[in-house]
Amino acid sequence: MQPQNTYTMSLVHLLEPSIKKAISELFEVSMEKIEFQSTRKDFEGDVTVVIFPLLKVIKGNPVEIGTKIGTYLVEHVAEVEKFNVVAGFLNIVISDAYYVKFFSQIQSETNFGFVKVKENEKAVMVEYSSPNTNKPLHLGHIRNNLLGFSVAEIIKASGKKVYKTQIINDRGIHICKSMLAWQKFGNGQTPQSSGLKGDKLVGNFYVQFDKLYKAEISDLMANGKTEDEAKKLAPSIIEAQQMLLDWEAGKPEVIELWKTMNQWVYDGFAQTYTNLGVDFDKNYYESNTYLLGKEVVQFGLEKGIFDKDPDGSVWIDLTPDGLDRKIVLRSDGTAVYMTQDIGTAIQRVKDFPDVGGMVYTVGNEQDYHFKVLFLILKKLGFDWAESLYHLSYGMVELPSGKMKSREGTVVDADDLMEEMTTTAQTISEELGKLEGYSADEKAKLFKTIGLGALKYYMLKVDPKKQMMFNPEESVDFNGNTGPFIQYTYARIQSILRKANFDLVTSSIIEALHPKEKELIKQIQLFPEVIQDAAKNHSPALVANYTYELVKEFNSFYQNVSILGEEQHDTKVFRVQLSKKVADTIQLAFGLLGIEVPERM
């Protein structure tokens, strides 16, 4: 992940015209672009101009050139207080008045950094979760859901309308395996009779099927069959394949069982989504979409985009584009996943005509699939296909290694959330700061801390990177963690409760303590962080920005007196500044789907 700048575009907009004018007047040449960068920590300055690119058009010593431009800025730009030149770098110091004025302008903004949706702006659809209905959600689904939900919230905050959606994979051989195992071993069990969430109950039967299937393969191999033969001849897989054919043929008793067991899973998923704090505007179901796209294939054939082979199968040749030949319709006329995804994308734009782009939150093992899908949709002539994005993320592993659904070795999402809450409880009780809390207040706090730890740990990592999830490390109250940031928020709320004066009226202050200035500079970055995070589809930018803000506040808190300050206006200003930090933490964490506690 790229380091964030410590200067804002507003500073660039303030300085760039004057720097260009200075170059024109001092050296009688023009520069189209001025290169800015963050001032190094060991030098004084709020923003740095890189002089070296100017040497292409201005002959001379870079220190002398920088000094002349710096002097011009001090004389002509009120906000420029002073400067220093180090080698080919002009470090510019901006006046306290500039930052005081900025703070007074944003102090009462409740959604500072958020942009209102513009009229006639094209919407973005964000797809995430998209589970199979044969097992409960697991650790990998958690990363998927948190990424998708957070990206949707960030894009919304950046000024675009957003629709959240998922496609539920509710058909296929894997579904039939769970159904068949329930018929064989279920004894009429239901979520109600077993006391299990419906998705967990169905997932248990998926694991049972796998055990039966493996036992049958072993028996067949013991009787002389090869492994490949045994896998095809195992009675359970033959039954499951027949059940899929019966489902496709609409056999009433199979359809009835399918509907019943799927509903158990949907009810279980709904509970998990609620606990995780994610939601959707529209669900699509593969059982409804798997035939979509077939008519598009006919259109593509007529336009010469697709080709039909002698056996009747339909393909698209993407070798000129550096890809391969891809099948879009089998010789028997049945659709493949690619056909379905083409049809579903088109259907979504029909359902939501204002959609101008889509974000697919899917693991990086599907990178090639989405390259092909997006290219086909472009070749079919859909203008919105230019704005499709695959939010490709790395897998999540635990210190204990990889997970396998069939073998029942996955980390269940519900169990993990419960474990995080329990861990938060243990650590909070050890810290011993829960006096005066009721049992309900404690339970709510433990859940807020536990889920905050889980979400932050998942989202602070660049989505593209594979990650190792360490539950204990994530609930640490120190370092770059959710609880550390939540604790800082709660600390500020304690300051605000103790402040016995009006926090709305602007205080009169002229000079800033260096720590105050640094804190305002960090707050000033927030709107651009949102825009960058939306453009890069990266909640990690918001997460790590928040950590930097909190570190800056804690440095401020340790170096200046807030409520103990004797000068009234200064005290009021510092409390107001603290409140703005808390408000920004709350907004930023809201984009990550994380709650903040009033007390901790």
Side-chain angles (χ1 to χ4, degrees):
M1 190 178 62
Q2 292 181 338
Q4 290 167 356
N5 292 326
T6 55
Y7 62 88
T8 61
M9 286 308 295
S10 55
L11 269 184
V12 173
H13 295 149
L14 169 71
L15 296 172
E16 193 168 46
S18 296
I19 294 171
K20 286 180 177 179
K21 193 174 179 186
I23 292 168
S24 174
E25 290 184 12
L26 294 169
F27 308 105
E28 298 182 348
V29 295
S30 62
M31 286 293 289
E32 282 187 23
K33 194 172 186 312
I34 305 300
E35 187 179 328
F36 291 90
Q37 66 179 38
S38 302
T39 305
R40 282 174 49 179
K41 290 283 185 187
D42 42 345
F43 297 119
E44 186 182 17
D46 298 301
V47 64
T48 294
V49 177
V50 184
I51 301 297
F52 295 114
L54 305 183
L55 300 180
K56 293 174 186 174
V57 292
I58 304 170
K59 301 302 177 192
N61 182 304
V63 174
E64 289 178 7
I65 294 168
T67 302
K68 286 180 180 179
I69 295 171
T71 303
Y72 181 96
L73 293 175
V74 170
E75 290 172 356
H76 292 85
V77 182
E79 292 85 356
V80 176
E81 190 173 86
K82 54 185 174 177
F83 70 93
N84 62 83
V85 182
V86 181
F89 300 94
L90 168 60
N91 304 316
I92 300 169
V93 178
I94 303 298
S95 68
D96 287 357
Y98 169 83
Y99 289 104
V100 171
K101 181 182 177 184
F102 162 75
F103 183 74
S104 67
Q105 288 170 340
I106 63 131
Q107 188 193 330
S108 59
E109 280 189 40
T110 52
N111 282 323
F112 169 66
F114 285 33
V115 177
K116 287 184 180 176
V117 177
K118 301 179 188 75
E119 287 289 323
N120 303 318
E121 179 84 21
K122 282 288 187 181
V124 178
M125 182 171 279
V126 181
E127 176 193 290
Y128 55 97
S129 196
S130 303
N132 296 327
T133 57
N134 64 319
K135 57 193 173 188
L137 302 175
H138 56 63
L139 178 59
H141 289 116
I142 287 184
R143 188 176 198 196
N144 182 301
N145 274 271
L146 296 182
L147 278 172
F149 177 84
S150 182
V151 164
E153 293 299 307
I154 290 167
I155 293 173
K156 196 188 301 178
S158 77
K160 292 186 176 175
K161 187 172 184 180
V162 174
Y163 299 110
K164 303 170 192 168
T165 187
Q166 63 173 330
I167 181 160
I168 299 170
N169 302 303
D170 64 342
R171 64 173 283 277
I173 192 71
H174 50 292
I175 311 295
C176 293
K177 288 176 180 178
S178 295
M179 290 164 60
L180 187 66
W182 183 85
Q183 284 183 330
K184 288 180 179 294
F185 312 115
N187 299 315
Q189 270 189 89
T190 66
Q192 290 73 27
S193 69
S194 66
L196 286 173
K197 275 177 80 228
D199 52 337
K200 290 193 187 347
L201 179 65
V202 172
N204 288 346
F205 287 114
Y206 183 63
V207 173
Q208 283 198 43
F209 176 91
D210 192 58
K211 287 178 182 173
L212 171 66
Y213 182 40
K214 282 180 176 170
E216 291 173 349
I217 290 169
S218 295
D219 288 345
L220 287 164
M221 288 174 70
N223 287 311
K225 300 293 184 188
T226 66
E227 186 177 353
D228 284 346
E229 288 172 338
K231 284 179 177 177
K232 291 173 187 171
L233 294 171
S236 59
I237 198 70
I238 292 170
E239 286 183 87
Q241 287 164 346
Q242 183 57 51
M243 183 177 274
L244 180 57
L245 292 172
D246 290 342
W247 180 88
E248 288 176 349
K251 195 171 181 181
E253 58 267 37
V254 174
I255 296 294
E256 191 58 39
L257 176 61
W258 171 75
K259 284 181 177 176
T260 299
M261 291 182 71
N262 270 350
Q263 193 57 54
W264 294 347
V265 176
Y266 300 150
D267 292 343
F269 285 171
Q271 197 176 325
T272 304
Y273 290 143
T274 299
N275 289 337
L276 194 57
V278 301
D279 58 6
F280 303 91
D281 299 305
K282 169 88 173 171
N283 292 332
Y284 288 86
Y285 299 88
E286 192 180 317
S287 55
N288 295 331
T289 64
Y290 80 108
L291 296 176
L292 287 176
K294 288 179 74 172
E295 69 273 18
V296 182
V297 172
Q298 188 56 44
F299 167 80
L301 278 168
E302 291 167 7
K303 293 286 181 184
I305 297 163
F306 301 139
D307 304 304
K308 186 176 279 191
D309 275 11
D311 66 355
S313 59
V314 180
W315 297 72
I316 183 167
D317 185 8
L318 299 175
T319 50
D321 302 280
L323 303 176
D324 61 3
R325 255 186 120 229
K326 192 75 183 175
I327 190 167
V328 292
L329 209 63
R330 296 188 187 96
S331 57
D332 62 2
T334 56
V336 294
Y337 267 112
M338 187 60 69
T339 330
Q340 174 185 306
D341 283 352
I342 292 165
T344 304
I346 296 166
Q347 185 61 48
R348 284 171 170 170
V349 178
K350 286 179 183 173
D351 294 343
F352 299 90
D354 58 338
V355 164
M358 297 180 211
V359 176
Y360 293 82
T361 312
V362 182
N364 56 16
E365 73 278 5
Q366 294 292 328
D367 284 354
Y368 187 78
H369 175 86
F370 284 101
K371 277 184 186 174
V372 173
L373 173 64
F374 297 170
L375 186 54
I376 291 174
L377 287 165
K378 284 176 189 174
K379 287 180 181 293
L380 287 168
F382 297 106
D383 56 355
W384 44 263
E386 299 294 333
S387 302
L388 299 176
Y389 182 81
H390 175 204
L391 177 49
S392 169
Y393 63 91
M395 295 296 102
V396 188
E397 289 187 16
L398 288 162
S400 56
K402 290 186 178 180
M403 306 176 291
K404 293 179 182 174
S405 300
R406 288 188 300 277
E407 294 171 16
T409 61
V410 299
V411 176
D412 181 277
D414 297 311
D415 294 345
L416 180 58
M417 285 191 278
E418 195 173 317
E419 181 192 326
M420 295 297 293
T421 301
T422 304
T423 305
Q425 176 177 350
T426 303
I427 293 174
S428 298
E429 287 173 345
E430 284 172 2
L431 291 172
K433 296 183 178 180
L434 301 170
E435 292 167 18
Y437 281 69
S438 68
D440 286 347
E441 285 172 333
K442 284 182 183 178
K444 187 181 179 198
L445 178 64
F446 300 148
K447 185 178 178 184
T448 299
I449 296 170
L451 280 182
L454 170 66
K455 293 180 180 185
Y456 187 83
Y457 200 90
M458 288 275 183
L459 293 173
K460 73 176 181 178
V461 178
D462 186 313
K464 295 180 181 65
K465 292 182 179 175
Q466 190 163 322
M467 68 171 293
M468 179 80 71
F469 178 68
N470 187 324
E472 288 181 13
E473 193 178 282
S474 71
V475 192
D476 196 330
F477 276 62
N478 294 298
N480 190 5
T481 67
F484 173 70
I485 295 169
Q486 289 173 321
Y487 183 73
T488 301
Y489 177 86
R491 169 183 276 171
I492 297 172
Q493 297 310 305
S494 174
I495 293 170
L496 299 182
R497 284 191 292 272
K498 291 172 185 171
N500 57 351
F501 46 76
D502 175 18
L503 286 175
V504 179
T505 308
S506 291
S507 53
I508 301 163
I509 190 164
E510 293 179 2
L512 291 173
H513 186 285
K515 291 296 178 184
E516 294 169 338
K517 183 175 179 179
E518 288 304 314
L519 200 46
I520 294 172
K521 282 166 67 176
Q522 193 66 26
I523 294 169
Q524 194 179 33
L525 292 170
F526 188 47
E528 286 167 35
V529 169
I530 292 174
Q531 295 299 324
D532 286 347
K535 187 170 64 178
N536 292 292
H537 305 87
S538 178
L541 294 175
V542 174
N544 288 287
Y545 161 80
T546 313
Y547 176 56
E548 293 300 323
L549 174 65
V550 163
K551 280 202 301 183
E552 203 62 65
F553 175 80
N554 285 329
S555 179
F556 161 78
Y557 179 81
Q558 288 156 11
N559 284 280
V560 304
S561 178
I562 301 176
L563 292 175
E565 169 60 41
E566 292 180 5
Q567 225 301 320
H568 181 71
D569 278 338
T570 302
K571 176 163 66 172
V572 172
F573 177 77
R574 287 177 180 171
V575 173
Q576 290 173 334
L577 182 54
S578 300
K579 182 179 186 302
K580 198 65 193 176
V581 170
D583 292 346
T584 307
I585 292 170
Q586 186 169 30
L587 288 171
F589 261 30
L591 296 177
L592 304 177
I594 302 175
E595 293 183 1
V596 282
E598 295 299 306
R599 293 190 297 158
M600 230 171 124

